[in-house]
Amino acid sequence: MVRVLELRVHGVSNTPPDQLLGLAPEPHVARPELIAGGPVTGFYRSTTAVGEDPINVEAYSWGKLTSGARTRRDIERALWTSLLPFALANVALHARSGIPADPDRERWASRSGITAWLVRLFCLSLTCTLIMAVTGVGVDLIGWQCVGRDCLGQIPGDWAFLTNNWWRQDTRALALGLLLPLLVLAGLGALAWRTYQYEAEMPAEPPAGPNADDEGPDDHAGPLTNPLQDPTFWNGEGQLRRAAVLHLCTGAVTAAAVPVTAVLLMDPPRGARALIAAPTVLLFVAVAVIAVIALGRPWLTRRQGATPLGRWSATIAVLTAFSLVGTFLLLLLPDGPAGQPLSVYRPPIGCVTDPHIVGCRVDRSLPGFDTAVAWLATYQVLLLLTIGAVNRSGRRALASSIIAALLLPLGVIWIERGLPGIVAAPSGLRTWMLIGPALLIAAVGLLLPRTRAPAPSQPLGPHTDLAWGGCAPAVLAGLSWMIAVAYCAGLLYWVSDRLDIRADPSGASRVVPPLGVFWAGLACVIGLVALLALLVRAAVLLRRLRRVEYARLAAAPGLSAHDLRRCRDVSTFRALHRLIGEHALRLVGQFVTVAAALVALCCAAALSRSRPSPLSPDGWQVVVHWAADRGDVVLGCLPLVMSALGMLVYRVDAVRRSVGVIWDVCTFWPRAAHPLAPPSYAERAVPELQTRVAGLLALPPHHPDRMDGLILSGHSQGTLICAAVLLQLPRRWRGRTWFFSYGCQLTRLYGRVFPSYFGPERLRTLARAVTWPGGHVAWTNFWRDTDPLGWQVSAGERDVPVIDPEALHPSGGEVADPPIRNHRGYPDAVEFARERAVVARLLRRSVPSPRPGSG
């Protein structure tokens, strides 16, 4: 008997195997049985399934890769929620336009090549942002500003020894505080090192059978037509290790540069100190230059499996080690002869008991740290604008960004020291006033005409154009940056607040966080107001769409009062379907536009060195200070809230359905830009599913487990996994496979945000890949107009609309209304069963009969 298997793959909701198989809840009737795989990822069939059934159903459960029981490993995964900025920044690399199908054909000077380099450079700066925040905690807040026992007593453990004269003199306390960011880097490195092979594997190609020549040629050697066909796409361990060395070394140098810069500003070194400081600074510069250059080199951008680290990694690691040795030597040496002892720059002791001590009401934070934080944020915003402009308009958009990047330092020198041959700067001109014009110059690249791909083979469908005008990498990277800044500002505020809980509003004996933290709090308040306005706008739009859909449903003749009530319920889901599919990305773009303007203003304010006083007679200063303080409180709680939310995502299904979508979308993509991002579950799911499909189809004809045809059935996020499997699968197995997709986001969401993988042309590539020699496109897509996350594809496949609900009122003696299934229960629909029966017949006809005597 010719047998067909339907292999079902669930989405982000981690549907249990019994529900995937459509089993009744009573365990004594039937239950799922593990037939392949293990407790984390496994393939299940019903215990009542008979081997001779013409259509068998099997479920692939991968959800425990991202959720599961409360074990030590799952708590570790929950803590990965704190790495969400790294995950979003990594996704930005895959949102580029114009990625060639063959990665070896991508050139650095191309639009996608330059954008990739810029995104990787931004990811490196994001690592530096985190390390700067932790360095601020260890070096500035604890090692420099926390001088009294009342302050040190707030730190867990016995740290009173830092108040004795030996530690207070010179910069020895800074050397101790520098250990904190280095320990954090070591922890990140250890976590990343463990997760390089986080349940990832390579697909196991089954051995060729006796009739392998009759199965059809393999097409792995042919030209690639989609980046997902790259055999190394899901296995980039070598690339990750090399990139991790780069990030960790750059982070270590960034942390060390903070105290070294402060020492150079306070006491320019001479003599023996200069012999240590000069080569240490040169090593800092060398590591930074190597990192910037290496980000665009093939050794880092090609996913070459388990390739060794290489000479670049060894070089940068050695240079970093020597720079750290020089840093600690410089910090442990006595003060130099250039001026007064460095201890006089620190806050005085006893401000709590006597606020009138000289220096108690003055900001005595680490010199240069506030300015470094503000300039880092400014250039990150400039980099984000450049990413969006280049991805949208190509290399020509680089000119405005380069001009802006060069004008900023020249403008600062002109204002502070003057430039030869140029008139002196006006007396009222300040550095922060240059930020706005510089960012406006860089934004000119966003106004250039968009670089469009060659004319498509057919017109684009509705709402399938590029998201955010072709600026998707910049939008995703910008969201990651805002979350990272919120994390870091919250951490700095929370620590400073814990260290000096008795500070009064006048500022006596305050452990002062960087000025950027204050303005980040104000931006948080304004951003939350903007987000609330966006939600109100979405609610108004949903209400309007609901009225339209209700009018359309209620126009049918002969409807009863019961039917009209049901029309209201159905119209809500149809309105959600339209809201997400037609308006969601536009609403996000509006919020990003407001956030971009807000961020630019905050960068200028941070460089202005001004902070409104809560005791000022001006009412606006009191309001601004109060709002910023409330925002800082919110930011201080954010890291804890996100960690708690991460635990709920992995434990509570309702929370997971709400926020788990974002997490599973991020961790679907392999880590190609940020090596410290959470691992990709698809690195195991795709090869494992590919191995299972090929293994079942490659069994001998008379093997009891052999399947002659296979229906690969993916729901929601499972659709992406199935599509990736089909693009990796050799042609001889695709010729006996049919693709079912339902609750599919390949067009309205993934196709618009990730056009190089799921854009209209690349989806037609997928349709051609599953086209049989006879011309059948072996792909059926099911969709409902009540499904908020499922739409038509229109790539050459067969689109089957599923009626939902089946009727507005009970029928056939039933007393309950037919349920509105929206995003669930596609296999229970009549249309699904009908299509599956037809496809099973086609699969049986396409399978040739075994030769006489074979097997």
Side-chain angles (χ1 to χ4, degrees), residues 62-213:
W62 57 269
K64 289 185 179 180
L65 289 173
T66 55
S67 64
R70 185 176 295 169
T71 63
R72 176 181 174 182
R73 189 64 178 274
D74 292 310
I75 294 175
E76 179 183 280
R77 293 179 185 133
L79 294 178
W80 287 338
T81 310
S82 60
L83 302 180
L84 180 59
F86 295 166
L88 279 171
N90 181 72
V91 173
L93 182 75
H94 300 283
R96 291 173 294 146
S97 302
I99 301 176
D102 188 349
D104 291 329
R105 301 184 61 182
E106 184 175 56
R107 298 294 177 261
W108 184 90
S110 64
R111 176 177 63 160
S112 64
I114 295 176
T115 307
W117 178 70
L118 292 172
V119 170
R120 288 189 170 97
L121 185 60
F122 171 79
C123 289
L124 190 66
S125 73
L126 205 62
T127 302
C128 295
T129 299
L130 171 65
I131 296 306
M132 285 283 284
V134 180
T135 305
V137 172
V139 175
D140 182 19
L141 300 183
I142 297 178
W144 184 256
Q145 298 189 53
C146 196
V147 295
R149 292 181 179 272
D150 57 321
C151 174
L152 293 171
Q154 305 299 323
I155 307 174
D158 185 12
W159 298 94
F161 66 91
L162 290 177
T163 60
N164 63 46
N165 291 331
W166 191 87
W167 282 104
R168 274 190 53 79
Q169 290 176 354
D170 308 323
T171 53
R172 299 185 181 97
L174 299 187
L176 185 64
L178 183 59
L179 295 178
L180 179 61
L182 296 181
L183 288 175
V184 170
L185 278 172
L188 287 174
L191 179 62
W193 213 262
R194 286 181 54 196
T195 59
Y196 286 142
Q197 292 181 331
Y198 161 76
E199 298 148 349
E201 57 184 43
M202 290 295 289
E205 182 70 16
N211 300 327
D213 294 338

Side-chain angles (χ1 to χ4, degrees), residues 611-693:
R611 184 195 304 263
S613 171
L615 302 180
S616 172
D618 297 332
W620 70 268
Q621 292 196 38
V622 176
V623 173
V624 169
H625 193 281
W626 179 89
D629 193 52
R630 301 288 83 74
D632 284 331
V633 171
V634 173
L635 292 178
C637 298
L638 186 61
L640 299 178
V641 171
M642 290 301 296
S643 298
L645 187 61
M647 292 296 295
L648 292 177
V649 165
Y650 293 109
R651 294 294 300 159
V652 181
D653 290 340
V655 178
R656 175 168 177 76
R657 292 189 184 98
S658 301
V659 300
V661 175
I662 299 176
W663 186 251
D664 283 358
V665 167
C666 292
T667 53
F668 169 79
W669 299 100
R671 293 171 289 182
H674 205 302
L676 306 180
S680 166
Y681 60 85
E683 289 181 344
R684 173 169 179 175
V686 171
E688 194 168 72
L689 192 57
Q690 181 182 346
T691 301
R692 179 66 175 171
V693 170

Side-chain angles (χ1 to χ4, degrees), residues 314 370 720 752 783 789 817 823:
D370 287 20
L720 273 74
R752 302 183 65 185
W783 66 281
L789 297 175
D817 290 324
H823 195 54

